[in-house]
Amino acid sequence: MAGSGEVMMDAPQLMAFMREVFQQVADDFTVEEVKPNEVTMRLNISEKHLRPGGTVSGPSMFALADVAAYIATLAMIGPKALAVTTNCSMDFMRKPVAGVDLIATAKLLKLGRQLSVSHVLIFSEGMDQPVAQATMTYAIPPIKSL
């Protein structure tokens, strides 16, 4: 139930769901930890995530923020593949460390029947200061009545 505070999917279940419905990118990400209303995710950096100069690209950082917010939402509501991003505000604050995985923590700020709003902080692994932050809003598909 949305907003109940009970985790509906743990890290292994979320990873299995990602491999089932988003096999094209699932191996790019790892769900590190799931808590009520919060997840920690890793972007497994490879050559395809780098821009000229060797730093992680903005689109890769956006993907991490987007997936982290999606996973934080699904952790609380269960497997709803059709939840979709409806809004994003993202700030790129520091240059990520070249070739180092990125770690995102997504915290649900609001979880209702129709919308989920998350705040996501992204760090280069080992850095104390965030490289980016985002506020993401997801639309949750309605429950169909019988």
Side-chain angles (χ1 to χ4, degrees):
M1 168 189 261
S4 72
E6 179 183 334
V7 173
M8 302 295 288
M9 296 177 78
D10 63 16
Q13 290 170 319
L14 289 160
M15 287 302 303
F17 183 75
M18 283 283 291
R19 286 186 189 97
E20 178 186 331
V21 298
F22 292 111
Q23 64 273 12
Q24 67 273 28
V25 298
D27 290 336
D28 289 350
F29 303 96
T30 303
V31 179
E32 299 271 312
E33 184 177 20
V34 177
K35 301 181 203 175
N37 300 308
E38 182 178 328
V39 300
T40 302
M41 299 230 22
R42 174 182 299 269
L43 174 60
N44 305 304
I45 298 299
S46 68
E47 191 68 32
K48 69 182 175 181
H49 300 111
L50 304 180
R51 55 173 278 125
T55 190
V56 179
S57 70
S60 294
M61 288 188 274
F62 171 83
L64 177 57
D66 194 38
V67 171
Y70 180 70
I71 292 298
T73 301
L74 296 186
M76 300 306 294
I77 67 170
K80 310 276 190 238
L82 298 180
V84 295
T85 309
T86 59
N87 192 49
C88 172
S89 173
M90 190 158 188
D91 298 300
F92 300 94
M93 301 180 292
R94 291 173 185 78
K95 183 178 177 180
V97 177
V100 173
D101 287 355
L102 295 182
I103 308 296
T105 300
K107 294 183 180 184
L108 291 174
L109 303 176
K110 177 196 184 292
L111 180 59
R113 287 189 320 254
Q114 297 179 331
L115 292 177
S116 166
V117 180
S118 299
H119 181 251
V120 183
L121 283 175
I122 300 174
F123 296 83
S124 280
E125 188 170 35
M127 277 183 72
D128 292 333
Q129 297 295 316
V131 297
Q133 72 89 34
T135 302
M136 309 290 299
T137 303
Y138 263 80
I140 299 168
I143 297 171
K144 294 182 179 173
S145 57
L146 300 176

